[in-house]
Amino acid sequence: MEPVKAWYVLARTVDYAGLTLFAGGLLFLAVLWPAGAGHRGARSVLVTGWVLGLLGTLAGLGLQAAWAAQRPAADFLAWDLLGQALDSQFGRIWFARALLWLLGGVVLAWLLQRGRDAATALPWRVGAGAILLGLLRTTGLTGHAVESTRPWLTQLADFAHLAGASAWIGGLAVLLFGVLARRDPEELASVIPRYSKLAMTSVAVVVAAGVVLAWQTVGSVSRVFGTAYGRTLLVKLGVLAVVLLAAQVSRSWVGRRLDFAVVLRGDAATVRPFVHSVAAETTLVLVVLLAASFLVTASPGR
């Protein structure tokens, strides 16, 4: 792989990670755990997501331009390259995305200042929802979904795929560093079952939308096994299958041990297997995001 392309793939991975943490974290706090807006672990997830998303978007803009112009990665901040980038469709979309991240910083600052009051306020929820819709939509506008013979179908599937992944992955991070880190029995009893249901729905959306995207993008079984794009897709699916196994372990713990953990007031030894399972899911998801970044920068026909 060309060095500049490798850096661009890394920037897209950072951007994807930021989007999932920020979007999924905001959804988690707005819908499942508004009180978490005042707690350090959950706030750290959101801040990390926002920083990664903004840096990934800005770096991706310059690195994509350097890759297209066959310039070294070190030139990604060169003014002439950035000017060329902004004259392209990708550049204009990615610049709008950077502006959305800046507006997302305003939403984040409001939440950090007001805590639960912000998370439960209708104006904040409307603003956060608008920002998240924009971030999810601009991500799909620069992928393979726009090149399909049925762009309306693939773009809808791409949006659903990203939204489901964000709700699932960002929720995992807030669950791990927020809810489970505190081990408050009342929070365990109220938040974990609701997140479990949200995660099941999100995974179903991710799988269904992924099938549509793969069908529209790859087109045939022979191209799955006969192209680098198809083989990368298989790696992504393989890792995702392992993640789903870990998720099933987590779900089994919720069904069998959650009540016991609540009765024992969040006993560390009782909660630890669930923490390990969630941590494994979160770690493996990074590999899925890396594979997704390879796919979005690769040609489906190769």
Side-chain angles (χ1 to χ4, degrees):
M1 182 187 293
E2 303 171 36
V4 65
K5 182 181 178 181
W7 281 107
Y8 177 53
V9 169
L10 178 60
R12 293 298 295 249
T13 303
V14 170
D15 179 69
Y16 277 138
L19 175 64
T20 55
L21 291 177
F22 189 68
L26 288 181
L27 178 65
F28 194 104
L29 295 181
V31 177
L32 303 180
W33 191 37
H39 299 311
R40 181 178 178 181
R43 292 154 72 99
S44 297
V45 170
L46 292 178
V47 172
T48 301
W50 183 79
V51 171
L52 291 178
L54 180 60
L55 293 180
T57 295
L58 293 175
L61 178 61
L63 288 168
Q64 197 277 341
W67 181 26
Q70 297 185 335
R71 297 263 293 271
D75 289 349
F76 79 106
L77 291 179
W79 285 110
D80 61 324
L81 271 182
L82 293 176
Q84 294 175 24
L86 293 177
D87 286 334
S88 67
Q89 181 182 10
F90 175 92
R92 288 189 291 270
I93 292 172
W94 229 234
F95 180 72
R97 183 177 177 80
L99 294 179
L100 285 168
W101 276 116
L102 292 177
L103 291 173
V106 176
V107 169
L108 176 60
W110 187 357
L111 185 73
L112 295 179
Q113 290 175 359
R114 302 289 300 277
R116 179 171 186 159
D117 290 341
T120 56
L122 181 60
W124 181 86
R125 292 187 173 193
V126 171
I131 296 298
L132 296 185
L133 287 174
L135 289 172
L136 292 170
R137 185 71 184 102
T138 51
T139 302
L141 287 175
T142 57
H144 297 303
V146 295
E147 303 167 357
S148 167
T149 55
R150 297 183 180 88
W152 65 270
L153 176 62
T154 50
Q155 289 186 55
L156 179 61
D158 188 71
F159 183 88
H161 193 68
L162 287 168
S166 296
W168 175 29
I169 298 168
L172 274 178
V174 176
L175 185 68
L176 179 62
F177 296 106
V179 178
L180 294 179
R182 290 167 52 78
R183 297 201 312 275
D184 181 280
E186 293 183 2
E187 292 174 353
L188 293 176
S190 63
V191 177
I192 290 179
R194 286 188 288 166
Y195 172 71
S196 182
K197 293 177 182 178
L198 174 65
M200 286 180 59
T201 302
S202 300
V203 169
V205 170
V206 167
V207 172
V211 169
V212 174
L213 286 171
W215 167 52
Q216 288 292 312
T217 305
V218 180
S220 66
V221 176
S222 61
R223 289 174 64 184
V224 172
F225 296 97
T227 63
Y229 184 93
R231 289 189 289 272
T232 303
L233 178 60
L234 289 175
V235 171
K236 178 185 176 183
L237 293 175
V239 178
L240 181 60
V242 177
V243 175
L244 293 179
L245 286 176
Q248 182 56 38
V249 172
S250 299
R251 186 165 176 265
S252 176
W253 184 93
V254 172
R256 294 184 298 104
R257 304 290 291 175
L258 177 59
D259 291 342
F260 190 52
V262 171
V263 170
L264 293 180
R265 311 297 296 172
D267 174 66
T270 306
V271 177
R272 189 175 297 118
F274 185 57
V275 173
H276 290 167
S277 178
V278 173
E281 285 183 68
T282 307
T283 303
L284 288 169
V285 157
L286 295 177
V287 182
V288 176
L289 294 178
L290 179 61
S293 301
F294 273 105
L295 290 174
V296 80
T297 58
S299 171
R302 295 182 180 181

